[in-house]
Amino acid sequence: MGRAVKRIVFTEAQIAERVRELGAEITAAYPEGELLVLGLLKGSFIFLSDLVRHIRRSLQVDFLVAASYGDGTVSSGTVRLLYDPETKLEGKHILLVEDIVDTGRTLGRLMDLLGQRGPKSLEICALLHKHIAEELRHPTRFIGFDAPNEFLVGYGLDHAENFRHIPYIASLQ
Ligand code: IMP
Ligand code: MG
């Protein structure tokens, strides 16, 4: 067996309530224009699917696949793009949806890349933010929860591809 869950950090009910609020914030923030919600796979898949159902306006959904972690719990700082969105970004409001901001390196690299494609606006929505990065070039506009500086799993977040399916967020033993 692998590692076990140590402590529940955010319950299912807390997540559901916060995601509903975020949906309302996002709805209010984008009064006009085309909105493309761009999920960073795999970690954002559950968050994104809940979030878009609380955004009350027209939108499109696409995904990006970037890999920054191996099987360890420490950021390697390298980012690889494995899937690029099919949808064109030019002239659209792009909302990049991420599971967790740790060092922010993944996002820094992606924001630079996406910014070159002529979006009308480019913002980040992260379910969790560790607030450990000294200086992020791209601030996170929408944040679900401030996260403790522990390794978290569940609600899409993994450790070596395990635990993504658990409906709450927990820290690892
Ligand atoms: P960053 O580039 O260091 O900000 O790392 C971002 C990515 O690392 C996230 O999208 C996650 O996939 C992964 N990650 C960072 N911290 C955690 C954690 O506590 N649990 C699970 N994955 C994490
Ligand atoms: Mg991961």
Side-chain angles (χ1 to χ4, degrees):
M1 278 297 289
R3 296 163 74 175
V5 158
K6 183 168 75 179
R7 174 174 69 89
I8 296 181
V9 178
F10 299 108
T11 64
E12 259 188 276
Q14 286 175 310
I15 296 168
E17 190 189 341
R18 187 63 192 123
V19 170
R20 187 178 291 271
E21 288 170 1
L22 274 176
E25 283 176 37
I26 292 165
T27 305
Y30 293 99
E32 59 195 33
E34 283 183 273
L35 173 62
L36 174 64
V37 179
L38 202 49
L40 189 46
L41 289 177
K42 303 175 206 169
S44 73
F45 83 111
I46 293 178
F47 174 44
L48 181 136
S49 67
D50 283 344
L51 181 67
V52 291
R53 283 178 283 181
H54 293 294
I55 302 177
R56 309 287 182 220
R57 75 178 322 279
S58 61
L59 58 79
Q60 297 176 340
V61 173
D62 207 335
F63 295 95
L64 269 177
V65 182
S68 70
Y69 273 64
D71 284 353
T73 52
V74 176
S75 178
S76 64
T78 56
V79 179
R80 283 179 300 144
L81 255 196
L82 308 176
Y83 170 79
D84 210 348
E86 303 277 335
T87 326
K88 96 174 184 6
L89 310 192
E90 204 182 322
K92 292 178 184 167
H93 293 296
I94 308 300
L95 182 61
L96 189 57
V97 177
E98 167 74 310
D99 53 356
I100 184 164
V101 180
D102 185 355
T103 65
R105 286 193 195 114
T106 314
L107 281 178
R109 160 87 202 281
L110 285 175
M111 292 290 280
D112 290 344
L113 204 135
L114 299 175
Q116 291 163 10
R117 299 183 186 179
K120 189 167 183 184
S121 71
L122 181 56
E123 301 284 358
I124 302 164
C125 174
L127 174 65
L128 298 155
H129 202 302
K130 286 190 179 170
H131 294 285
I132 56 163
E134 297 272 299
E135 196 181 302
L136 294 179
R137 264 174 306 144
H138 308 280
T140 304
R141 169 96 183 261
F142 306 97
I143 298 175
F145 300 101
D146 293 337
N149 192 13
E150 295 172 63
F151 198 81
L152 303 177
V153 295
Y155 198 69
L157 288 94
D158 73 304
H159 174 256
E161 295 304 327
N162 293 308
F163 304 107
R164 289 195 198 276
H165 67 296
I166 62 172
Y168 48 86
I169 293 167
S171 64
L172 268 198
Q173 198 78 284

